[in-house]
Amino acid sequence: MPLRRLHAALFLLIAAFLCLPAVALLLSWLQWDGETLAILRGMAATVLPDYVWTTVQLSLWVGLGVALMGAATAAAVSLFDFPGRRFFEWALLLPLAMPAYVVAYAYTDFLQFSGPLQTGLRAQFGWEGRLLPEIRSIGGAAWVFTVSLYPYVYLLTRTALSERAAQLMEAARLLGAPLSRRIREVALPMSRPALAAGVALALMETLADYGVSSYFGIQTFTTGIYKAWLSMDNRVAASQLATGLLVVVVILLHLEQRAQRKMRFATGRGGRGGTADAQPVRLSRRGWPVAWVLCALPILFGFVLPVAFMVRPLAADWSVLPWDRFVDWSFNSVRLAALTAVLAVAVALVLAFGQRRSPDRLTRAVVGLAGLGYAVPGAVIVVGLLLPVGWLQQVAPQSGVGLLLTATSLGLVWAYLVRFCAVALQSVQSGYARIPVSLDDSARMLGSGAAAVLGRVHVPLLRRSLVAAALLVFVDVMKELPATMVLRPFNSDTLAVVAFQLARDERLGEAALPSLALVLVGLIPVILLSRTLRSATH
């Protein structure tokens, strides 16, 4: 009985730890005053409709772009066979290594009015004025998000099509259906749930963004939250606005989970299937160049060109780069990322182990809440985290809690854990799915307690999953921008913050160094993911 009580207390503590920001946002609606009401009314009458309309426009364009680009590339590598197909299977994941705000810096540096492309064209041909559309616009932001986030749709759609589509399309071919009908009536219906799930994930990333919209000067709902908080100095108004964004994100998360369930149902029936039973359609010499171009363009625009645009200023003048300060930025980033990764893996291991031993309602609820954090934008988490701190300071001004959370790394690591524990939890749960429950029964029959089962049986078998979880959390923390900008202690800038600040000051040549470092770190999960997919399909 004491062990059960300890287990319940630990889970309640974790639940409170991870849910405090969301609970604080909901409680902010109980705290009304004249100033908050005046700010919300003023924003509703002036700028708030523009924020909402801009966010809706951006989401529509991004959703359409990632759906078309991700579905087309997934269909090309899953349903057809052509030279270079094996290369494109993993290379199409490379844009995942590029943070969207880094892609925005790269394209802005090269394509803006004073950039090398337009300057060279004016000098070469004597043209005058602007030669290209303004990159800092809703259209430019939609393009940046599309080429950065389409791998979500590509990955899920490719998985859905690879499991069953080739076999069913072969059956349809034997029944006399032409290729166009097979794609329309077999492949498209099978890919629809995966397509919806991928688009929902891309839209959640779009809504969570602050770097691209702020750098491009686009007034989205997220920037409205920051203005209400930082410019108008009203945390309650910012919290109530953040609640609206949180509701939208929860709806998108529900749609994504619903689509994932449909995808598992669609691909899980009928026994084992996939490419082992039927081969993709072999394209002719006229057809494979079309597929090659279709797959090469997303890689070119989402990875190759942005990297080339950032390497250009580095190669032009190495002397302007702050190499001495780069070491400090890297150390701060690595220190925070490593600390968060260790803590996130520990929390995920406790949650997954508890769910395995006693999958009751409390355990399932806590695990579900932990999984919600990754879908919540960093701006919302920060507002929800600092709101109760402000309440506590009003009640106990001498407590020093606000100073502890904002002048040290404690608040920042807390926000990281709320946001990224879900990443570690998913990896650990996938590892547990491969461990038979009979091993636990055997260990208990031999007299091993819960701690011994975890330490001597589970941890050795979960070693790969734990390392993968730590690496994924490490990379996500390195790239996190909104929470880091607000909660970081003084004189402890990270690579993400420095890249944003240098780019905002139009020092894009100097911003290229920390940006490329983030890209190199981001390649780690891409390599892991591509190796996992290759081992799963071959």
Side-chain angles (χ1 to χ4, degrees):
M1 184 62 68
L3 185 60
R4 285 183 175 271
R5 291 180 178 177
L6 179 62
H7 173 261
L10 181 61
F11 267 74
L12 288 176
L13 180 62
I14 293 176
F17 180 82
L18 298 177
C19 299
L20 180 61
V23 173
L25 291 178
L26 297 177
L27 292 178
S28 68
W29 287 93
L30 302 177
Q31 188 179 9
W32 282 91
D33 53 43
E35 181 184 359
T36 301
L37 186 59
I39 290 176
L40 292 178
R41 283 181 175 177
M43 294 184 69
T46 54
V47 296
L48 194 57
D50 292 335
Y51 293 162
V52 174
W53 175 236
T54 301
T55 304
V56 170
Q57 280 184 291
L58 183 61
S59 300
L60 288 176
W61 283 115
V62 172
L64 179 62
V66 297
L68 292 176
M69 190 173 293
T73 52
V77 300
S78 302
L79 305 180
F80 303 100
D81 190 15
F82 54 91
R85 172 172 168 256
R86 299 300 183 193
F87 166 78
F88 287 122
E89 281 183 345
W90 66 265
L92 283 165
L93 296 172
L94 286 175
L96 281 178
M98 302 288 297
Y101 53 85
V102 172
V103 178
Y105 307 156
Y107 274 108
T108 301
D109 182 39
F110 192 77
L111 299 179
Q112 64 183 342
F113 180 80
S114 58
L117 179 60
Q118 294 199 55
T119 301
L121 290 176
R122 286 194 296 267
Q124 182 69 26
F125 300 101
W127 295 338
E128 297 181 359
R130 181 178 298 278
L131 306 178
L132 296 174
E134 175 58 55
I135 184 65
R136 296 184 180 181
S137 61
I138 295 179
W143 170 255
V144 168
F145 284 124
T146 297
V147 298
S148 302
L149 302 178
Y150 83 86
Y152 287 113
V153 178
Y154 162 76
L155 183 60
L156 294 177
T157 306
R158 174 193 161 189
T159 302
L161 292 177
S162 298
E163 288 180 348
R164 294 284 291 169
Q167 182 186 26
L168 295 179
M169 286 186 68
E170 177 67 15
R173 185 190 69 82
L174 295 175
L175 293 174
L179 180 61
S180 59
R181 186 179 179 185
R182 279 178 271 159
I183 294 176
R184 184 177 65 253
E185 298 185 8
V186 177
L188 288 181
M190 288 194 62
S191 64
R192 195 173 297 141
L195 183 65
V199 170
L201 289 174
L203 291 181
M204 282 191 283
E205 290 289 338
T206 303
L207 292 175
D209 170 76
Y210 175 74
V212 176
S213 57
S214 177
Y215 181 62
F216 278 8
I218 300 173
Q219 303 302 312
T220 61
F221 203 86
T222 303
T223 57
I225 295 173
Y226 275 98
K227 283 191 175 182
W229 178 19
L230 300 177
S231 301
M232 303 177 185
D233 194 24
N234 193 304
R235 294 182 180 178
V236 178
S239 301
Q240 293 170 356
L241 290 176
T243 307
L245 184 59
L246 180 62
V247 170
V248 175
V249 170
V250 170
I251 293 174
L252 285 174
L253 181 63
H254 172 71
L255 295 176
E256 186 268 339
Q257 292 175 344
R258 184 178 178 183
Q260 289 276 19
R261 287 194 296 268
K262 289 183 178 180
M263 184 172 63
R264 287 194 294 267
F265 175 77
T267 59
R269 297 185 60 183
R272 183 176 181 269
T275 56
D277 302 313
Q279 296 298 321
V281 177
R282 181 72 179 180
L283 292 179
S284 63
R285 291 186 177 181
R286 293 183 179 181
W288 73 257
V290 177
W292 205 90
V293 171
L294 183 67
C295 295
L297 288 180
I299 303 171
L300 178 68
F301 291 120
F303 184 80
V304 177
L305 288 180
V307 170
F309 293 159
M310 288 186 293
V311 169
R312 182 191 59 83
L314 287 179
D317 189 0
W318 290 79
S319 61
V320 302
L321 299 177
W323 292 103
D324 52 342
R325 301 173 62 191
F326 177 75
V327 176
D328 295 333
W329 302 334
S330 301
F331 174 75
N332 290 330
S333 299
V334 172
R335 175 177 58 86
L336 291 171
L339 177 61
T340 306
V342 172
L343 293 176
V345 170
V347 172
L349 185 60
V350 170
L351 292 176
F353 179 70
Q355 186 180 27
R356 183 180 177 91
R357 286 185 60 84
S358 56
D360 51 23
R361 290 186 178 181
L362 175 63
T363 305
R364 291 196 301 268
V366 173
V367 172
L369 291 172
L372 180 64
Y374 190 64
V376 180
V380 175
I381 291 176
V382 170
V383 175
L385 192 62
L386 291 183
L387 190 64
V389 174
W391 294 339
L392 186 59
Q393 284 183 323
Q394 292 177 359
V395 176
Q398 305 300 325
S399 62
V401 175
L403 185 63
L404 181 64
L405 290 180
T406 57
T408 66
S409 300
L410 178 61
L412 192 54
V413 173
W414 190 351
Y416 287 155
L417 288 175
V418 174
R419 178 119 164 81
F420 299 122
C421 260
V423 179
L425 182 59
Q426 185 176 13
S427 179
V428 175
Q429 284 178 325
S430 65
Y432 261 120
R434 296 189 292 269
I435 300 178
V437 182
S438 59
L439 292 180
D440 298 20
D441 298 334
S442 301
R444 283 195 295 269
M445 291 176 63
L446 293 174
S448 298
V453 171
L454 177 62
R456 297 180 182 179
V457 179
H458 292 174
V459 171
L461 295 175
L462 290 172
R463 186 173 291 112
R464 288 187 178 181
S465 297
L466 295 177
V467 172
L471 287 175
L472 291 174
V473 174
F474 182 89
V475 173
D476 280 335
V477 172
M478 291 280 290
K479 297 190 294 184
E480 172 63 23
L481 180 60
T484 311
M485 285 190 62
V486 178
L487 294 175
R488 73 190 190 281
F490 293 109
N491 297 323
S492 59
D493 290 330
T494 64
L495 292 172
V497 172
V498 169
F500 176 79
Q501 291 176 337
L502 292 175
R504 184 181 56 187
D505 296 339
E506 298 300 326
R507 298 160 63 184
L508 294 173
E510 298 175 59
L513 181 61
S515 298
L516 282 174
L518 291 174
V519 172
L520 291 177
V521 173
L523 287 173
I524 297 174
V526 173
I527 295 173
L528 291 175
L529 186 58
S530 63
R531 291 181 60 183
T532 302
L533 291 175
R534 184 177 301 176
S535 62
T537 55
H538 300 295

